[in-house]
Amino acid sequence: MEHMSDEEHIAGEEAEAGATHSGFVALIGPTNAGKSTLMNRLVGAKVSIVSHKVQTTRAIVRGIAIHNNAQIVFMDTPGIFKPRRRLDRAMVTSAWGGAKDADFIMLLIDSERGLRGDAEAILQGLKEVPQPKILVLNKIDQVKREDLLALSAAANESVAFERTFMISATNGSGCDDLMDYLAETLPEGPWYYPEDQISDLPMRQLAAEITREKLFLRLHQELPYASHVETEKWEERKDGSVRIEQVIYVERESQKKIALGKNGEAIKAISTASRKELAEILEQPVHLFLFVKVRENWGDDPERFREMGLDFPKG
């Protein structure tokens, strides 16, 4: 048997150390389990809309993280819930479709809420999905250890998870262990995206998502579910700034008044908050102009669904 020289041994170690890993991880769970907050934490940048209202993520947003020698592409899917409207059905279909396209499925459960409601239905649905699955219990700082262990045992009894992680998406506790595991476990292979890219969501759409988030945060009424934001113009200017024009579509004249606010206060506040965040992400001055228009029944328009990256449900 031939022995390797020292040089060959070192070269072999370097080749092994340089092997890259990459893959897609679908992040699924009930609405408001903290999926968007967790993805933004793991990617280290704002790529997914986060708000205190449920059902905020309407289509799959991909966030791209580099950890050690692995590129992990997170698919932040819409929350899975009992659908009532056409848009709801499209969102739930999109979430399950994202799970079926991934190398790994990561189920995020809010530890405070446990397996009540939609979580139990998701566990049943996961039994039909062949990909390897990991369980992530979020908000662990809010729950006693014995309750966490009981929750983990109950979920693992229902579905054969590869591993269980206990984390806090808000303060980052446990997230490094989760990333280490994914980086080691994803398949070997070249990276899918350039190293400096954090999302494959086109910038115009990301800008619309950010404005939609500010709309959610500002207006606590039912309006956000009847609203949709589109980036209509994007002009790079000679002075290095960018001029962006967006339209907020609502379904009724009464909703338009809510979006504008008294003396235009609401729309000004939304515009200021969105412009500030866009300038940080784009690293250039932003001139943002928002318009509110009434478009009746946009929730039944196939074209709007396509723009949101959703399939239009029939019937």
Side-chain angles (χ1 to χ4, degrees), residues 54-266:
V54 299
Q55 299 163 27
T56 348
T57 308
R58 283 181 177 166
I60 292 173
V61 178
R62 291 189 178 90
I64 302 152
I66 308 291
H67 189 77
N68 300 335
N69 58 346
Q71 186 179 71
I72 307 163
V73 186
F74 289 102
M75 303 159 72
D76 177 17
T77 63
I80 297 174
F81 54 95
K82 194 174 167 74
R84 289 189 297 274
R85 303 165 301 164
R86 196 191 292 265
L87 177 61
D88 296 343
R89 295 204 305 278
M91 287 162 66
V92 171
T93 302
S94 172
W96 281 114
K100 291 183 173 77
D101 290 340
D103 295 291
F104 245 93
I105 293 170
M106 196 155 89
L107 172 62
L108 188 68
I109 297 288
D110 177 337
S111 299
E112 286 186 292
R113 274 190 281 161
L115 301 182
R116 293 194 298 275
D118 296 325
E120 187 58 55
I122 295 169
L123 284 171
Q124 293 307 311
L126 277 178
K127 291 177 180 178
E128 311 299 316
V129 181
Q131 286 95 326
K133 296 167 271 286
I134 55 176
L135 174 66
V136 179
L137 302 180
N138 190 21
K139 305 182 186 176
I140 56 165
D141 43 340
Q142 315 284 333
V143 180
K144 291 180 186 164
R145 181 163 173 77
E146 56 266 32
D147 292 338
L148 283 172
L149 294 172
L151 175 57
S152 171
N156 276 277
E157 207 171 286
S158 185
V159 173
F161 290 103
E162 308 284 321
R163 284 279 296 274
T164 297
F165 292 89
M166 299 189 183
I167 62 123
S168 166
T170 308
N171 66 28
S173 170
C175 289
D176 282 346
D177 289 342
L178 173 60
M179 290 294 276
D180 287 345
Y181 175 79
L182 290 172
E184 290 163 11
T185 314
L186 282 172
E188 268 191 37
W191 290 356
Y192 291 98
Y193 297 94
E195 190 167 349
D196 59 354
Q197 191 170 337
I198 57 163
S199 174
D200 74 346
L201 193 65
M203 224 10 119
R204 289 170 74 109
Q205 199 181 337
L206 182 60
E209 282 288 283
I210 286 166
T211 298
R212 192 163 71 87
E213 177 189 51
K214 305 312 172 196
L215 192 71
F216 270 57
L217 293 171
R218 172 77 190 191
L219 303 171
H220 300 273
Q221 300 93 330
E222 271 301 289
L223 171 65
Y225 298 127
S227 62
H228 169 59
V229 180
E230 287 179 24
T231 303
E232 295 216 326
K233 287 189 182 170
W234 186 291
E235 180 194 347
E236 298 284 347
R237 303 175 71 167
K238 287 177 185 171
D239 63 2
S241 66
V242 59
R243 178 191 166 95
I244 301 169
E245 290 184 17
Q246 295 179 329
V247 179
I248 297 168
Y249 286 104
V250 293
E251 292 183 315
R252 291 188 293 281
E253 199 64 40
S254 58
Q255 295 168 347
K256 182 176 177 179
K257 287 176 183 165
I258 295 168
L260 291 171
K262 191 178 177 184
N263 300 322
E265 284 172 12

Side-chain angles (χ1 to χ4, degrees), residues 29-53:
T31 51
N32 254 16
K35 294 185 300 298
S36 297
T37 304
L38 177 59
M39 188 166 82
N40 290 335
R41 159 80 57 184
L42 299 180
V43 172
K46 178 76 169 278
V47 293
S48 191
I49 183 171
V50 178
S51 104
H52 59 280
K53 294 188 84 79

